[in-house]
Amino acid sequence: MRSVSASGHVYAGRTMTTLPAGSLLPLVIRTVAVTDPGSLLELLAEPQPLAWIRQGDGIVGWGEAARLEVAGSSRFSDAAEWWARIVEGAVVRDEVDSPGTGPVVFASFAFDETAPSVLIVPQIVVGRRGMRCWITTIDVGAHITPTPTLSPGPTPVPPHELTFTDGSLSGVEWERSVAEAVRRICAGELEKVVLARDLVARTDSPIDPRWPLGRLAQAYPTCWTYSVDGLLGATPEMLVRLERGLVTSRVLAGTIRRTGDDAKDLALAASLARSSKDLEEHEYAVRSVANALSQHCSSMYTPEAPFVLHLANVMHLATDVAGVVHDGASVLELAASLHPTAAVCGTPTDAAQAVIRDLEGMHRGRYAGPVGWIGADGDGELGIALRCAEITSAANGVATAAFAGSQVRLFAGCGIVAGSDPEAELAEAQAKFLAVRDALLPD
């Protein structure tokens, strides 16, 4: 039996919150078209920003009309059931009728079942898709919020005097974990495992999450810049996008650091595309995604060879997998089938998860879990929470997007196969830290 709490208490291993405490009223949702409001991220004035932005398009939100925190192996199905109840009971007037309009929930799922996943229905959502812009107001019960006037919020300020230290493991300790993982792979216990490490930044002054969000969106416009309940980042990897029956997934595995010299980077890209170690790692990741999606799709398209995705600091081997959903699966059902992919866990999955628990030395939380948004019809976009950081309160260690935070935990992971070199993997992890680390620093 599932237990639901409006105050956030834990029942049967799960924490669930539906509407605000004491409220049993339905949500009243209205979407109207607006003129272009400019930069969506600049509209964020609240200390708890919600965002999903790529190349200026996407959605941002603030306020909290409804919230769910859920843990356990059934977290995806529990979330889908909760969202279906919210949508079924809502009163909706959508004058735009586009992906991202009407009822929308932002979601950030934990990597494994031991940590809480978070879904938030904002009070205000502002979106852009091409030339079309809109605002959605979400109210509880009969109260209707007038459509607000959109204007830029206060200018965000960078964190003051950040100090960076190793997280759960030092670089030397993490190299030892990589070496042990390679030994187990060579012994035939598994084919690939993704090992992550963390970096901790501390400051005595408040942290404004809008500062790194804006910097990430500017530096990595082709990535999906996201923020949900204290977890923020810019991911290059789309776990699953579902729109009117068409499903797509971008798989990344295999990385090389850029030098800043265009000629050298072109040569490095060519070497990455020929690297047997990186191609092997990439093949495992693509295979895991294609196999998972094939259960739901009547037709699939998987390119024979990856392309090289160029980002500001690194280059990745990338493959876009596409299919046509035949069984009516929602984006949450597809995410449940896909997660965790070989790109963030390894293969075989059970063996890789066991090695992660043995060797990683840290708790991932929502790092490497699905993050994004879901619409009323079950369509949506869920990336993988990579190139990310979690803002936490130094006082109690609870994740928060509010300005009370004085600690930021950064994450980076590397795919380990038989040919992996511990020193090279540590250098790759350091390169992946740079995206968020640089975004935290002043100009």
Side-chain angles (χ1 to χ4, degrees):
M1 177 182 295
R2 177 183 298 105
S3 298
V4 177
S5 166
S7 55
H9 296 296
V10 177
Y11 295 99
R14 292 193 284 267
T15 305
M16 303 187 71
T17 304
T18 53
L19 300 177
S23 174
L24 297 176
L25 297 174
L27 298 182
V28 178
I29 302 168
R30 184 187 180 194
T31 299
V32 297
V34 295
T35 57
D36 191 337
S39 168
L40 296 179
L41 289 176
E42 290 182 5
L43 299 176
L44 296 171
E46 298 287 331
Q48 298 184 8
L50 296 160
W52 181 260
I53 298 293
R54 183 174 186 263
Q55 295 182 322
D57 281 5
I59 55 175
V60 297
W62 55 89
E64 193 169 293
R67 178 188 183 94
L68 171 72
E69 292 186 17
V70 60
S73 59
S74 61
R75 59 195 183 281
F76 291 102
S77 58
D78 287 345
E81 184 177 336
W82 174 83
W83 180 232
R85 292 203 310 270
I86 292 286
V87 171
E88 183 180 4
V91 178
V92 181
R93 180 180 175 182
D94 185 353
E95 299 177 8
V96 179
D97 191 24
S98 182
T101 66
V104 168
V105 61
F106 287 80
S108 175
F109 286 89
F111 175 77
D112 61 35
E113 62 188 55
T114 62
S117 301
V118 181
L119 289 87
I120 298 174
V121 181
Q123 292 176 312
I124 302 292
V125 179
V126 183
R128 176 191 292 111
R129 187 179 176 95
M131 300 298 292
R132 182 175 292 184
C133 301
W134 65 87
I135 184 169
T136 300
T137 56
I138 303 174
D139 297 286
V140 178
H143 174 74
I144 305 297
T145 299
T147 301
T149 300
L150 298 176
S151 60
T155 302
V157 295
H160 181 64
E161 294 184 355
L162 281 169
T163 302
F164 291 89
T165 59
D166 284 328
S168 302
L169 297 179
S170 68
V172 172
E173 290 170 328
W174 193 76
E175 283 183 341
R176 292 184 188 134
S177 292
V178 171
E180 173 59 17
V182 171
R183 186 195 68 78
R184 296 188 189 189
I185 291 169
C186 292
E189 296 181 24
L190 70 166
E191 297 173 311
K192 172 191 173 181
V193 64
V194 178
L195 291 182
R197 65 186 304 255
D198 57 346
L199 182 70
V200 176
R202 295 183 175 89
T203 177
D204 292 332
S205 60
I207 296 174
D208 186 340
R210 298 174 304 145
W211 174 264
L213 278 177
R215 302 253 297 174
L216 286 168
Q218 182 179 18
Y220 302 92
T222 60
C223 293
W224 290 268
T225 302
Y226 59 89
S227 175
V228 181
D229 202 51
L231 188 75
L232 57 86
T235 181
E237 191 154 1
M238 175 63 71
L239 176 66
V240 57
R241 175 195 288 116
L242 180 63
E243 185 174 330
R244 296 182 174 92
L246 177 65
V247 58
T248 55
S249 179
R250 170 162 289 183
V251 183
L252 304 183
T255 304
I256 196 166
R257 187 171 180 174
R258 298 190 67 165
T259 66
D261 182 295
D262 290 343
K264 290 181 180 179
D265 286 345
L266 284 174
L268 287 172
S271 69
L272 178 65
R274 296 190 302 266
S275 167
S276 58
K277 177 263 180 186
D278 291 295
L279 288 169
E280 179 187 14
E281 178 188 345
H282 190 79
E283 182 183 354
Y284 290 138
V286 172
R287 189 195 313 160
S288 72
V289 168
N291 289 344
L293 288 180
S294 65
Q295 306 171 41
H296 302 280
C297 293
S298 57
S299 60
M300 294 281 299
Y301 173 69
T302 304
E304 293 183 1
F307 65 94
V308 177
L309 177 67
H310 294 250
L311 299 179
N313 60 331
V314 295
M315 294 177 284
H316 299 286
L317 291 179
T319 295
D320 289 333
V321 179
V324 177
V325 173
H326 68 77
D327 61 357
S330 69
V331 72
L332 282 175
E333 291 173 298
L334 295 171
S337 296
L338 286 164
H339 180 78
T341 69
V344 294
C345 179
T347 186
T349 302
D350 291 343
Q353 287 179 317
V355 171
I356 289 170
R357 288 192 293 268
D358 288 346
L359 301 181
E360 205 166 69
M362 70 173 194
H363 199 292
R364 290 190 177 189
R366 290 178 287 147
Y367 162 71
V371 61
W373 65 273
I374 304 107
D377 56 2
D379 287 0
E381 296 179 308
L382 292 172
I384 300 179
L386 304 175
R387 310 297 193 275
C388 68
E390 186 174 31
I391 300 177
T392 61
S393 166
N396 57 24
V398 177
T400 175
F403 290 82
S406 59
Q407 176 175 294
V408 187
R409 188 172 171 226
L410 292 72
F411 301 90
C414 299
I416 311 302
V417 294
S420 294
D421 173 70
E423 186 176 348
E425 298 299 340
L426 180 62
E428 179 180 322
Q430 295 295 92
K432 290 176 177 177
F433 279 135
L434 289 178
V436 178
R437 178 171 179 159
D438 289 350
L440 288 166
L441 301 175
D443 291 320

